[in-house]
Amino acid sequence: MTNETHARTTARHGDDAAAARRPRVNFAKAAPKAFKALIGFDAAAREGLDPALVELVQIRSSQLNKCAYCLHMHTTDARKAGESEERLHMVAVWEEAAHFFTAKERAALALTEAVTLVSHGGVPDEVYERAAAHFPEDELARLLALIFTINTWNRIALSTAKVPGTDER
């Protein structure tokens, strides 16, 4: 690694050695009521949703948020649940690889992107209407709740420096 490359990497990721010396808060232990409330919200959101769809949504949000910890966890969970490697590889490019996903999954992925990137212009009516055409109102509300929870989990993992591959739950 050149000095210039090291400088760019350090500027982007910080000094890993320094970060290792300063452990970050264990959110579950330090804020158990908030953690348990989020677990309850997450469980309520998943209720009645297709487990494969749940994982696709969580994977896409984690990709967009650059959360390696959650991405590792949810791709592992998806594999265990029988999801194909082929589809897992296509989640990041689902629009170009539309034939790998059902219309309902594509609507959910579009909604996931719009909600996750809400600061980029809100949730467009066409995206919301496409999702509403595929999900009854109660299921749509739970899908939205699922998107809210994975975005929250991503932010917890990123801000507390969770280590990808440890899958501490």
Side-chain angles (χ1 to χ4, degrees):
M1 180 182 305
T2 67
N3 287 339
E4 184 179 307
T5 303
H6 177 70
R8 280 194 312 266
T9 302
T10 300
R12 189 171 55 243
H13 300 292
D15 182 356
D16 291 336
R21 288 191 301 268
R22 291 186 301 263
R24 294 193 179 176
V25 66
N26 179 325
F27 183 77
K29 289 183 181 176
K33 286 183 181 178
F35 185 77
K36 287 177 184 172
L38 186 54
I39 287 173
F41 186 44
D42 191 345
R46 294 166 181 258
E47 192 173 300
L49 293 177
D50 174 15
L53 180 72
V54 168
E55 295 304 334
L56 292 175
V57 165
Q58 293 176 323
I59 289 166
R60 187 63 186 132
S61 181
S62 298
Q63 289 170 334
L64 293 167
N65 286 321
K66 299 180 181 180
C67 183
Y69 176 83
C70 293
L71 183 58
H72 181 273
M73 179 186 295
H74 294 295
T75 54
T76 299
D77 289 349
R79 282 183 190 98
K80 287 178 184 174
E83 186 60 77
S84 74
E85 288 297 317
E86 194 170 45
R87 279 174 35 106
L88 289 175
H89 291 297
M90 294 296 116
V91 174
V93 293
W94 66 270
E95 287 179 291
E96 292 80 20
H99 63 283
F100 285 95
F101 304 98
T102 67
K104 186 174 185 175
E105 289 169 337
R106 292 191 307 270
L109 289 167
L111 186 62
T112 299
E113 289 187 3
V115 173
T116 299
L117 303 173
V118 71
S119 68
H120 296 186
V123 177
D125 289 340
E126 68 184 51
V127 170
Y128 184 87
E129 289 165 9
R130 184 168 17 144
H134 289 281
F135 294 90
E137 191 170 272
D138 63 322
E139 198 173 340
L140 180 59
R142 289 192 310 278
L143 175 61
L144 284 165
L146 176 70
I147 298 166
F148 303 157
T149 60
I150 188 55
N151 275 280
T152 301
W153 288 123
N154 289 164
R155 282 152 178 75
I156 290 169
L158 288 164
S159 61
T160 62
K162 300 291 273 182
V163 178
T166 60
D167 291 355
E168 301 166 348
R169 297 180 194 228

